[in-house]
Amino acid sequence: MRRITCLAALAVLLGVASSAPAADVVKHRIMFAEYGKGPNRLVELDADGKVVWEHKFPSIAVIFQVLPDGHVLYAYGGSPTGVAEIDRDKKVVWNYVSKCPQVLGCERLRNGNTLVAEQGPCQAVEVDPKGQVVRVTKLTTTEKGHHLQVRNVHKLPGGNILAAHEGEGAIREVDADGKVVWEYTKVENAPEALRLESGNTLIACGTQKRIIEVDPKGKVVWEFGVKDAPELNLTWVSSLQVLKNGHYVVGNFLRGQEGKGAHAFEVTRDKKVVWTFQDHDLVKSLTTVRVLDDR
């Protein structure tokens, strides 16, 4: 079943004429990383849900970033492990091989360097375009096994690092010396957190099946979960993206629930789901999803 839906489509399904102009129909070009029972790959879809580009990862990979020039940066596990940048011809144009057991998180920084989330030991390593390590920042987690120590890492405007420690279910902000300056530890299998312009933090709560926004004191000021949209079949909230209109794009990793519910959706601050992606013939479950047409 292939569906890229929006609120206006509901009227069509019910046989009711919609007075909404075509401009109100929400469509998105997206890219996602498939992982689980399906192939481990990157897939790009046009706004109508057609596959326009695909890349098979060389080994386990769950996190990627689309760069301004269209290249794609992704972390890969396996042996060796590290971070690669590929162009749209799938040619590797930059590659960093790590000495740690596994890398699954990465981010290209504004200065052109790349932030690498290393596991075992758990640390954020900043690498320049020549592949030279320019800074190592210790990350704190109680998780002993390297595989679940850290997922997404994001460098904040002030230079601190916001890290999602999936196995521990913790979000921590550390300074350049690795000192924990803020944390929230009440989540499960947390893969990503984003610092909002307000100073609050948006957190993907993994298998708690919800997204929360917490203020600097740790108070939950906004939450979206199963009861808000049961039709989505929230299973494992796996990625977050804040659009320019203030809406949130959320990845829903359907591990163990393949074949039902939405792979991804866009939700407003007043908890209205205005776009969903579900195509169970094309993909079994995805981890990271990114909207590419946010202008």
Side-chain angles (χ1 to χ4, degrees), residues 205-280:
C205 296
T207 48
Q208 283 183 343
K209 306 178 183 182
R210 61 181 184 142
I211 308 104
I212 60 173
E213 179 185 337
V214 299
D215 68 15
K217 294 183 179 180
K219 179 182 178 182
V220 176
V221 297
W222 184 87
E223 179 176 350
F224 181 89
V226 173
K227 64 177 186 248
D228 297 302
E231 70 278 6
L232 296 175
N233 188 30
L234 281 176
T235 302
W236 188 320
V237 181
S238 56
S239 70
L240 298 171
Q241 181 182 7
V242 180
L243 300 183
K244 292 179 180 179
N245 61 11
H247 297 178
Y248 303 144
V249 171
V250 182
N252 183 28
F253 181 41
L254 294 171
R255 186 170 188 171
Q257 291 288 312
E258 294 87 355
K260 45 189 175 180
H263 296 295
F265 60 93
E266 177 185 348
V267 61
T268 68
R269 289 285 302 171
D270 56 0
K271 302 186 181 183
K272 292 182 179 179
V273 176
V274 296
W275 170 86
T276 63
F277 164 62
Q278 60 184 70
D279 185 344
H280 300 294

Side-chain angles (χ1 to χ4, degrees), residues 14-256:
L14 296 176
V16 179
S18 173
S19 59
D24 288 343
V25 175
V26 179
K27 290 187 175 184
H28 286 307
R29 290 193 305 113
I30 63 172
M31 184 179 291
F32 62 81
E34 181 172 12
Y35 174 76
K37 290 187 176 180
N40 195 194
R41 58 177 179 160
L42 270 173
V43 180
E44 181 181 349
L45 305 181
D46 67 15
D48 294 316
K50 179 182 178 181
V51 175
V52 295
W53 186 81
E54 184 177 337
H55 173 69
K56 184 177 181 181
F57 291 122
S59 56
I60 179 175
V62 293
I63 294 168
F64 69 90
Q65 179 185 6
V66 181
L67 304 178
D69 61 2
H71 291 185
V72 182
L73 185 79
Y74 63 83
Y76 56 90
S79 181
T81 186
V83 177
E85 177 186 344
I86 60 171
D87 63 20
R88 287 313 180 94
D89 293 323
K90 306 177 186 179
K91 177 183 177 181
V92 176
V93 297
W94 186 85
N95 185 53
Y96 170 75
V97 176
S98 173
K99 296 179 181 179
C100 77
Q102 189 179 64
V103 175
L104 290 177
C106 63
E107 180 182 56
R108 177 61 49 82
L109 305 177
R110 291 184 178 182
N111 63 4
N113 292 347
T114 302
L115 195 63
V116 180
E118 293 193 339
Q119 305 187 115
C122 188
Q123 58 189 18
V125 178
E126 187 171 338
V127 182
D128 69 16
K130 294 182 179 180
Q132 300 299 311
V133 174
V134 297
R135 180 182 292 276
V136 177
T137 304
K138 179 183 177 181
L139 300 176
T140 298
T141 182
T142 60
E143 183 73 18
K144 301 302 181 183
H146 67 264
H147 176 62
L148 294 174
Q149 286 185 340
V150 62
R151 285 295 177 264
N152 277 281
V153 289
H154 297 296
K155 193 166 188 177
L156 303 177
N160 289 354
I161 294 171
L162 189 66
H165 301 283
E166 185 172 87
E168 185 183 355
I171 306 299
R172 291 192 176 94
E173 177 186 346
V174 301
D175 64 16
D177 297 321
K179 179 183 177 181
V180 177
V181 297
W182 184 87
E183 66 179 359
Y184 189 86
T185 59
K186 302 174 183 178
V187 291
E188 295 176 358
N189 300 112
E192 186 162 28
L194 301 175
R195 181 60 47 78
L196 304 177
E197 291 183 359
S198 65
N200 292 347
T201 304
L202 189 70
I203 300 173
C205 296
T207 48
Q208 283 183 343
K209 306 178 183 182
R210 61 181 184 142
I211 308 104
I212 60 173
E213 179 185 337
V214 299
D215 68 15
K217 294 183 179 180
K219 179 182 178 182
V220 176
V221 297
W222 184 87
E223 179 176 350
F224 181 89
V226 173
K227 64 177 186 248
D228 297 302
E231 70 278 6
L232 296 175
N233 188 30
L234 281 176
T235 302
W236 188 320
V237 181
S238 56
S239 70
L240 298 171
Q241 181 182 7
V242 180
L243 300 183
K244 292 179 180 179
N245 61 11
H247 297 178
Y248 303 144
V249 171
V250 182
N252 183 28
F253 181 41
L254 294 171
R255 186 170 188 171

